Amino acid sequence: MKPRLLAAACLATVHLLAATPVPLPDDPACTAADRGFMRRANELAAAASAHGNGAYGAILVKDGRIIAEFEACSTTASDPTQHAETGLIALVSRTLGPAAFKDAILYTSTEPCIMCCGAIRAAGLREFVFGVTALQVNRLRGTKVPEDPLQCREVFSRAGSQPVAIRGPLAEDEGLVVHAVAYSRVVR
C-alpha cells in the first residue's frame, strides 16, 4: 500500500476507534473460560473481515473444548445465509451430525440476528454466549437505533421453545474494536 493511502487508512481507523461506543459491562454470569472462548470467536470475526466479509465469528464448544468454528462468509460466498452462526450450524450438522449440539455451547462474537436465532433453535442448542450487542454495532456504524429494538433474548422468550440460556455481552470492548476495524475497511 502506498504511504499516503496507508496514512489515510490509519487515520480512518483511529477516527472510528475514537467514535466507538462505550462498551457495556460483561454479563456477570460469564466465566473466565467463557472469556477465552470469546477471544477465539473475535479472532474468527477479525479473519472474516480481513477476507472481505462482515466481522462475525462463532465456535461450538463441548466438554470444554472447541469442536467446530466458522467465520462469516456471506459476501465471499455470495450467500446471505452464511452468517457465523448459521454457517457453523450447517457445517456441524453435515460433518458431526445433530447429536453434536447436545450439551454444547455456542459462542458468537456478536449478538445473533433473528435468522441465526432460528438456526440456534432448530439445532436444539440450549446455551449460547455472545460478545457485542447488535445495538452497539449499529451505534458504531452510525445506524439509527430503533426505539424498541428486537434483541435475541426477546426472540427466544417469544418463540415458545425450550429454554435457552443466554449470556452476554462479553468482552464487548474487544469485539467493538474488531467491528471498528472492519467498518473502517468499508468506509474508506
Side-chain angles (χ1 to χ4, degrees):
M1 185 179 277
K2 294 181 180 179
R4 185 177 237 154
L5 289 175
L6 180 59
C10 288
L11 283 174
T13 302
V14 168
H15 174 71
L16 278 168
L17 290 174
T20 301
V22 175
L24 297 173
D26 287 348
D27 182 332
C30 292
T31 66
D34 291 335
R35 181 171 280 286
F37 290 128
M38 188 57 62
R39 188 167 296 113
R40 180 61 187 149
N42 281 327
E43 290 170 357
L44 291 166
S49 170
H51 294 133
N53 295 289
Y56 304 96
I59 62 171
L60 192 64
V61 173
K62 193 166 188 171
D63 300 323
R65 66 181 187 86
I66 297 172
I67 61 170
E69 51 186 40
F70 195 87
E71 63 182 59
C73 61
S74 296
T75 303
T76 56
S78 297
D79 181 347
T81 68
Q82 292 301 293
H83 291 194
E85 302 91 339
T86 53
L88 177 75
I89 289 167
L91 174 68
V92 169
S93 296
R94 285 190 312 272
T95 59
L96 302 175
F101 298 112
K102 186 174 177 6
D103 300 320
I105 303 171
L106 172 71
Y107 289 83
T108 181
S109 62
T110 306
E111 180 179 10
C113 71
I114 295 170
M115 175 180 72
C116 292
C117 287
I120 291 166
R121 182 176 182 237
L125 283 161
R126 299 285 177 245
E127 186 174 0
F128 73 87
V129 182
F130 69 88
V132 179
T133 63
L135 290 172
Q136 292 284 74
V137 172
N138 285 337
R139 287 182 182 114
L140 173 76
R141 294 177 181 164
T143 306
K144 185 176 187 315
V145 176
E147 196 169 304
D148 187 21
L150 181 60
Q151 297 172 316
C152 67
R153 284 182 172 90
E154 183 179 357
V155 171
F156 282 98
S157 72
R158 294 183 66 191
S161 61
Q162 293 290 327
V164 176
I166 302 169
R167 294 192 307 279
L170 175 62
E172 193 171 62
D173 53 345
E174 297 167 20
L176 282 169
V177 170
V178 172
H179 278 286
V181 170
Y183 190 57
S184 73
R185 289 184 177 113
V186 175
V187 296
R188 279 190 220 153

